[in-house]
Amino acid sequence: FDGENPQWAEEFAALKGLLSPEEYDAAKATTLNAHYTSPTVIKAIYQAVENMGFRTGNILEPSCGIGNFFGLVPESMKDSHLYGVELDPLTGRIAQQLYQQNSIAVQGFENTELPDSFFDLAIGNVPFGSYSLHHIFYFLDQISIFKICAIS
């Protein structure tokens, strides 16, 4: 997002022309932590969850991006209800269009109004970085699969 770098001038101009000022600012703010998990990793995570005995329930993806975890839900979990949260507005709107049958909030996780003791599984590959995690202990307390894993 360096508009002064001549090596990227063409790409910069194209991006500025395609996005609204708000979308551009949001995209610029997420360049350090925006990534998408490969299908191989997603399938391995789901396999691990299946191996723990999970089959169906309310699933939360707290940093859903465009919804790759939604698109790769295994057949054994197809009756689950999927909920996602995505901070980036453009990415979140893409997820909402791709997975219209699911509930996807486009906002910061800390601003969501998720019900207490509602989710059976939280799954995903949230971005890593030097960021403060707000409400993480409350969040972990609300997810029963974490309680099960902690006891095992």
Side-chain angles (χ1 to χ4, degrees), residues 28-104:
K28 185 176 178 181
T30 61
T31 56
L32 293 178
N33 60 13
H35 69 281
Y36 299 93
T37 306
S38 75
T40 303
V41 172
I42 293 170
K43 289 174 185 177
I45 291 171
Y46 274 125
Q47 184 62 56
V49 170
E50 278 185 315
N51 291 346
M52 288 187 272
F54 182 84
R55 293 296 178 265
T56 187
N58 294 316
I59 301 175
L60 172 65
E61 215 293 42
S63 183
C64 72
I66 61 169
N68 288 350
F69 277 87
F70 291 173
L72 292 169
V73 170
E75 187 67 22
S76 65
M77 297 180 197
K78 70 177 170 73
D79 292 328
S80 293
H81 300 283
L82 305 175
Y83 301 84
V85 180
E86 176 52 44
L87 177 62
D88 181 68
L90 183 58
T91 305
R93 289 197 317 271
I94 292 170
Q96 286 174 328
Q97 287 300 309
L98 289 174
Y99 304 102
Q100 295 179 20
Q101 72 279 17
N102 303 123
S103 176
I104 300 171

Side-chain angles (χ1 to χ4, degrees), residues 113-151:
E113 294 186 18
L114 301 170
D116 292 344
S117 302
F118 180 72
F119 295 104
D120 303 298
L121 172 68
I123 197 161
N125 186 15
V126 296
F128 296 95
S130 299
Y131 307 101
S132 297
L133 296 177
H134 304 285
H135 313 297
I136 190 67
F137 295 109
Y138 173 79
F139 170 69
L140 292 177
D141 186 53
Q142 300 306 310
I143 307 296
S144 62
I145 194 78
F146 285 110
K147 292 177 187 175
I148 292 166
C149 292
I151 294 169

